[in-house]
Amino acid sequence: MRFTGLAKLAVTAVMAGATALAAPAAAQAAVPVAGGTPVLVNGEAGCTLTAAGYDSTGAPVAFTAAHCSDRINAPVFLRSDPGAGVIGTVATRNEILDYSVIRLDPAIAVPVRQPGISGRGPAPEFGDVVCKDGMSTGHTCGITWQRDGAKFWSQACAGYGDSGGPVTRDGRLVGLLSGGHMPPGAGPVGSVGPLLPSCFHAAQSPLFLPALAYSFDAIVTDATDRNWPGRGFRMA
């Protein structure tokens, strides 16, 4: 889901015959960001953070889906509080694994760990139950249908705005949510893919597109191998 027209409210105080003296504004404490935090990329694309923490240089970073932005240096705002300012900018993108690394501004945003997440884990296999958290459909779970290298498909309900959200298994981060997609192994059942809608509520189950995600371990390995921002990522 895309959002447009971020409003900015400008207030001008006029004092006739005198010089206006403004008291210095109190410094605002940095806002916490974590996996599951809803964001606006470039001020319009509503997406969800996968995780937040630090890379091997000690820089604060966060991950989301690459398709949430189409350029490097795109500004990122909090969906719930755009007035807090730009929490970071897109530092790099990989469209093959559909991930972006956001370089966070430590004066505005501080990485924290998503509640209930103890660490990272490998991509799930067929039959594993995974859960995802997203801006639009919240916390939902479903069975894993297929794993193909760094990709895996599950029946966790996911819709527009959930892109980039964390996919977890047994309290460990295992993937980054990319979108709705029929798994290659669906066979003849895959022919109904064009007829199935994206999920907007878990009550639709099973009448919605399965959710495609990418292994978060594979994403961190890719960023590390390329010596990109996010290399050697460790969660807050």
Side-chain angles (χ1 to χ4, degrees), residues 20-216:
L21 300 176
Q28 179 176 329
V31 294
V33 296
T37 297
V39 293
L40 291 170
V41 183
N42 206 30
E44 57 183 29
C47 286
T48 305
L49 296 185
T50 321
Y54 302 87
D55 67 15
S56 60
T57 71
V61 295
F63 288 77
T64 193
H67 71 259
C68 296
S69 63
D70 59 5
R71 64 184 178 88
I72 303 298
N73 293 324
V76 181
F77 300 82
L78 289 176
R79 172 70 180 91
S80 60
D81 185 14
V86 177
I87 65 168
T89 55
V90 174
T92 193
R93 307 170 63 249
N94 182 326
E95 295 185 356
I96 296 174
L97 293 176
D98 196 20
Y99 76 88
S100 287
V101 179
I102 299 165
R103 183 180 289 109
L104 297 173
D105 181 345
I108 305 295
V110 59
V112 298
R113 183 171 298 198
Q114 181 181 0
I117 303 303
S118 59
R120 294 193 346 231
E125 302 289 350
F126 172 75
D128 291 339
V129 174
V130 297
C131 299
K132 78 103 209 20
D133 291 279
M135 180 180 75
S136 298
T137 58
H139 183 80
T140 60
C141 302
I143 192 172
T144 300
W145 292 123
Q146 186 177 353
R147 159 105 181 267
D148 182 8
K151 300 178 182 179
F152 60 93
W153 290 260
S154 74
Q155 201 62 28
C157 172
Y160 296 106
D162 295 335
S163 294
V167 181
T168 59
R169 178 173 181 258
D170 295 335
R172 292 186 175 272
L173 176 64
V174 298
L176 175 153
L177 184 70
S178 179
H181 194 285
M182 290 297 289
V189 178
S191 63
V192 304
L195 305 177
L196 294 175
S198 294
C199 189
F200 60 87
H201 194 283
Q204 289 175 250
S205 184
L207 301 177
F208 56 79
L209 277 171
L212 166 65
Y214 289 86
S215 163
F216 193 68

